[in-house]
Amino acid sequence: MRYLIRIAAALVFVPLLLALLFMMPLEFCVSSWHLWRADAATEGRVISSEKKSHRGNTRALIRYSYTVAGRSYESDRVRAGWISNQGYESGAGSLAKSLSPGSQVSVRYDTEHPEFALLEYGWPKWSLGFSLAVWGMWLGSYVFDSEDRRPKSHVLYGLTRGMWLLGFMIILLLPPTLEPKIIPTLLGTGLGLSVVAGVYGRVRYSRVAAIIGEHGTSF
């Protein structure tokens, strides 16, 4: 019976773990590819705009037209990414609420394949925030020594803690789409968090080492 329970748990939790570790980084890579493709901009017109809600979250359903080299195109892609463009998220429908049929919008498109276009030019915040948070926690578990549970390196301790702190800040505080201009600020914030976490780790685990040396015990 225990063997069957372990098999069932593995079937449930192993795919979940793989999804947590790799799905959002993959989404970040896909969205980065979409942003790289959308290398030009033009003006477009909204054909239809609707904000859809589901269990407190929203998404924007917008169809728009634009012209490239004298040829007209239509698209309903709003955001970069594979999952994010179709998914519901807190605040993701705000663009649709602000637009109505006939509204003028800025459209980013692929000069090689003009039928590919975006309205929101930026990374979905979950693709970056969740990737940093999950990988920061996972890699952080390997920073500690297996015997006394102290960090092998305060630099690595600071970096991994800075990663997951920045990830949670992105998820909790920032809008659904992260524009490229915000990336330098995020990098600076992540570096600052890593330095603070590294200093905290050095102070905290230096005290642990002192207690271990005084009592001759390990934690």
Side-chain angles (χ1 to χ4, degrees), residues 103-123:
S103 298
Q104 188 172 340
V105 289
S106 178
V107 178
R108 299 283 302 215
Y109 67 93
D110 183 347
T111 51
E112 296 294 327
H113 303 279
E115 65 275 8
F116 178 84
L118 299 168
L119 282 186
E120 292 189 339
Y121 188 73
W123 289 271

Side-chain angles (χ1 to χ4, degrees), residues 26-36 80-82 122-124 127:
L26 177 61
E27 175 75 347
F28 177 76
C29 292
V30 171
S31 60
S32 297
W33 177 55
H34 286 169
L35 297 182
W36 178 78
W82 171 44
W123 289 271
S127 69

Side-chain angles (χ1 to χ4, degrees), residues 26-148:
L26 177 61
E27 175 75 347
F28 177 76
C29 292
V30 171
S31 60
S32 297
W33 177 55
H34 286 169
L35 297 182
W36 178 78
R37 288 184 61 185
D39 56 354
T42 187
E43 296 299 324
R45 293 281 179 182
V46 174
I47 299 173
S48 62
S49 180
E50 179 186 0
K51 177 182 176 181
K52 275 194 91 172
S53 300
H54 179 69
R55 296 181 179 178
N57 293 319
T58 59
R59 62 176 291 204
L61 299 178
I62 304 172
R63 189 160 192 85
Y64 52 95
S65 62
Y66 56 102
T67 301
V68 177
R71 183 175 177 181
S72 296
Y73 296 90
E74 290 185 8
S75 178
D76 59 2
R77 173 175 281 280
V78 176
R79 309 175 69 191
W82 171 44
I83 301 169
S84 304
N85 186 54
Q86 303 295 329
Y88 290 87
E89 185 181 335
S90 176
S94 58
L95 181 62
K97 187 178 180 181
S98 66
L99 297 175
S100 58
S103 298
Q104 188 172 340
V105 289
S106 178
V107 178
R108 299 283 302 215
Y109 67 93
D110 183 347
T111 51
E112 296 294 327
H113 303 279
E115 65 275 8
F116 178 84
L118 299 168
L119 282 186
E120 292 189 339
Y121 188 73
W123 289 271
K125 76 171 182 180
W126 281 92
S127 69
L128 181 58
F130 209 80
S131 298
L132 289 171
V134 173
W135 276 86
M137 287 189 289
W138 186 65
L139 293 174
S141 64
Y142 291 94
V143 170
F144 291 91
D145 189 279
S146 59
E147 295 183 0
D148 58 16

